[in-house]
Amino acid sequence: MKFPKAYPFLEKSSIFFEDFALVPIRYEDRVDIMKWRNEQIYHLRQSEPLTKKNQDKYFKSVVAKLFIQEKPDQILFSFLKDDICIGYGGLVHINWIDKHAEISFIMDTSLEKIDFHKNWSIFLSLIEEVAFKELFLHKIFVYAFDLRPHLYETLKKSNYFLDARLIDHCYIDGSFKDVVIYSKLSGQ
């Protein structure tokens, strides 16, 4: 199976910066995405490890429909470096009325220690172009379990502000943790 190379509701479906690209999610990246999600399950809203069977079903039944919907509730991309997928993410929980969306992003686990800040920063700049210039959203935000302070450093450097802290909002590994929301407004 192959997915189209463009979303019909975007004028510019692929965004480029140097040797990086954000392209509509590719079917062939699904196994790597599953692997990374399973390796990083600790910080994701995912109750159990993904299986290849479930991942294939999700891509065929949910992700494939994103290419034909006029106003989908999520838009997913493969994040490439030199045409190799090193991450994926997009805009999720899109609210077309209030013009906001959550940013979702996960990268190849092996890159977390060496290129975390660089990859996150580049991804943010590319997804902002989609959010603010293509979809004309007013606000985008990152909703994160308070487990990765290095992520918040990157968000702050990219002009995201701490919008909210939800005290003891999630139950992880036998204890309650806060959730933090970092946001950016159009034109910031």
Side-chain angles (χ1 to χ4, degrees), residues 29 37 80 106 123 128 133-134 139-140 162 182 185:
D29 298 330
R37 287 191 64 92
L80 312 179
I106 189 168
F123 176 81
E128 287 169 18
K133 294 180 181 175
E134 289 287 321
K139 180 180 185 178
I140 53 177
L162 179 60
Y182 277 83
L185 302 175

Side-chain angles (χ1 to χ4, degrees), residues 98-173:
D98 296 326
K99 298 192 173 292
H100 62 73
E102 179 183 343
I103 297 169
S104 176
F105 178 60
I106 189 168
M107 72 180 78
D108 180 335
T109 308
S110 68
L111 301 176
E112 287 235 327
K113 288 191 173 150
I114 53 173
D115 281 331
F116 183 89
H117 296 291
K118 178 181 180 180
N119 289 331
W120 255 99
S121 296
I122 292 170
F123 176 81
L124 288 171
S125 69
L126 297 175
I127 203 68
E128 287 169 18
E129 191 168 329
V130 174
F132 297 137
K133 294 180 181 175
E134 289 287 321
L135 301 177
F136 304 104
L137 296 178
H138 171 66
K139 180 180 185 178
I140 53 177
F141 61 92
V142 174
Y143 172 106
F145 301 145
D146 195 4
L147 302 171
R148 303 186 301 162
H150 56 294
L151 170 60
Y152 318 138
E153 294 169 26
T154 301
L155 293 168
K156 287 176 191 172
K157 286 180 182 172
S158 297
N159 297 317
Y160 285 72
F161 60 90
L162 179 60
D163 200 353
R165 176 175 288 278
L166 307 175
I167 307 298
D168 288 346
H169 196 69
C170 58
Y171 191 71
I172 301 172
D173 292 332

Side-chain angles (χ1 to χ4, degrees), residues 19-47:
D19 49 352
F20 292 89
L22 201 60
V23 300
I25 194 163
R26 304 181 312 184
Y27 184 77
E28 59 266 30
D29 298 330
R30 75 196 182 290
V31 175
D32 286 333
I33 291 167
M34 177 192 72
K35 177 181 173 278
W36 303 330
R37 287 191 64 92
N38 287 341
E39 291 169 349
Q40 298 177 47
I41 197 168
Y42 76 96
H43 71 81
L44 300 172
R45 287 175 274 175
Q46 177 181 317
S47 60

Side-chain angles (χ1 to χ4, degrees), residues 72-73 92-102 137:
D73 63 353
V92 300
H93 309 296
I94 299 171
N95 183 318
W96 294 98
I97 295 168
D98 296 326
K99 298 192 173 292
H100 62 73
E102 179 183 343
L137 296 178

